[in-house]
Amino acid sequence: MQLARQKKDGARHNVAGLLELWDKLELVIEDGGRIGRYRARVEDITSTHLIIDRPTLVSGDALFTVGAQFTANFFKPDSAYTFTGRIASKHNGRADVYEVPLPTDIERNQRRRYFRIEIRGSATLIPAEDLLAQRRGESGLPQFDAKCLNLSGNGVLVQSRLDTEAGLRILVSLHLDDYAREINTLGIVRRRANAADDLRDYGIELFTTEELPMVLKSNEIKQIPKQYQNFSEIQRTKLLNFIFEQQVELKKKGLI
């Protein structure tokens, strides 16, 4: 992709028309089978480097160090995007700001992070844009019933009469057959397809509490009801274990 456009004063304000100043990054660092997931923010964009604040460990092992290689993810309304790089150095000697070489290639991430299984269950979808913008309280938000079609560790495919487009931020409650715990969290509609009659299929990416700062501003997080801030990385691990158990059963039956 074409790299950074420039303002008239010569300062860069985005990379490839995608990654912008103040965007939040998920940095994934791997070393010998260990994985650390970090959150950081783009503080500045120079002709050669991204300047990021000191990454905060979200989950996994503490692997952040100058010289570490990483895979970075960032989110836009249409998709998630990925690039790779290496922590170059501290910026101007500061302990809390680091330099990362300007990415030469940014890929639209269409790879699944987790195995996906068919699932039975129901869901409740609550469009959250008015809530996040403080235009309407929780009690005034419309609710839509949905049927779960399949599930992964970070997403669900549902079918509903809700009529919206990709990019909608949404409160999601999942009631899955054979899974004891109700899942309540924030999701973002990533894709839509028309189904039969007036039904539509929606692919919704689900975010843990630790990931919310990656996709929401701090004042928006404050608007999310507490019950939708309980899907933690620990709960995601439990969900992944459930999915793995279902996968094992399908293999035993010769279905996958």
Side-chain angles (χ1 to χ4, degrees):
M1 293 184 177
Q2 182 181 1
L3 288 183
R5 295 200 306 256
Q6 295 189 349
K7 296 180 181 178
K8 291 182 180 179
D9 60 7
R12 293 173 184 264
H13 63 93
N14 70 59
V15 180
L18 294 170
L19 180 62
E20 299 176 286
L21 193 64
W22 312 125
D23 273 352
K24 295 168 183 176
L25 302 174
E26 177 194 53
L27 303 181
V28 181
I29 300 175
E30 299 186 40
D31 181 24
R34 297 182 298 157
I35 299 177
R37 294 185 182 276
Y38 288 82
R39 182 176 63 245
R41 185 178 65 177
V42 178
E43 299 280 350
D44 197 4
I45 303 173
T46 73
S47 60
T48 57
H49 288 82
L50 299 177
I51 310 302
I52 63 173
D53 62 3
R54 181 178 178 84
T56 300
L57 182 64
V58 174
S59 65
D61 298 302
L63 300 175
F64 178 82
T65 184
V66 171
Q69 291 183 312
F70 63 82
T71 298
N73 302 300
F74 63 96
F75 303 95
K76 293 296 178 180
D78 65 318
S79 186
Y81 290 85
T82 299
F83 65 90
T84 58
R86 183 187 296 271
I87 306 298
S89 61
K90 295 180 180 178
H91 181 59
N92 293 333
R94 295 174 56 187
D96 58 343
V97 181
Y98 289 81
E99 295 182 350
V100 173
L102 204 67
T104 57
D105 188 32
I106 297 177
E107 296 182 358
R108 184 173 179 176
N109 188 2
Q110 296 177 322
R111 295 170 294 176
R112 298 201 188 280
R113 288 168 60 184
Y114 302 106
F115 187 83
R116 186 174 294 272
I117 61 170
E118 293 186 3
I119 195 74
R120 294 186 303 273
S122 62
T124 302
L125 310 178
I126 304 177
E129 295 296 339
D130 284 346
L131 177 69
L132 297 176
Q134 302 183 55
R135 292 190 295 263
R136 187 180 298 185
E138 180 186 2
S139 61
L141 298 175
Q143 298 187 16
F144 297 86
D145 294 331
K147 179 174 70 173
C148 297
L149 301 178
N150 62 46
L151 174 76
S152 75
N154 74 326
V156 64
L157 180 66
V158 300
Q159 190 171 88
S160 175
R161 298 188 187 280
L162 171 67
D163 187 5
T164 191
E165 300 298 331
L168 178 76
R169 295 174 294 182
I170 195 165
L171 300 178
V172 181
S173 294
L174 299 179
H175 317 276
L176 306 174
D177 292 3
D178 303 321
Y179 190 70
R181 186 183 180 94
E182 180 179 279
I183 297 172
N184 298 297
T185 189
L186 177 91
I188 296 181
V189 175
R190 294 304 187 191
R191 66 182 188 276
R192 158 192 161 139
N194 291 330
D197 300 325
D198 59 346
L199 294 171
R200 297 160 192 86
D201 292 345
Y202 290 105
I204 302 175
E205 184 174 4
L206 305 177
F207 295 91
T208 64
T209 304
E210 293 86 348
E211 292 175 326
L212 290 181
M214 296 289 300
V215 293
L216 296 180
K217 300 175 183 176
S218 58
N219 63 308
E220 292 176 326
I221 294 176
K222 293 178 182 178
Q223 304 308 314
I224 298 179
K226 293 298 182 183
Q227 72 181 90
Y228 293 96
Q229 297 193 42
N230 293 325
F231 184 53
S232 66
E233 289 292 335
I234 293 174
Q235 297 305 321
R236 171 176 278 165
T237 298
K238 292 181 179 180
L239 182 63
L240 287 170
N241 290 338
F242 167 75
I243 292 172
F244 177 74
E245 291 169 0
Q246 299 299 307
Q247 183 183 356
V248 169
E249 290 301 316
L250 290 172
K251 285 183 176 180
K252 287 181 179 179
K253 296 176 181 179
L255 298 178
I256 60 174

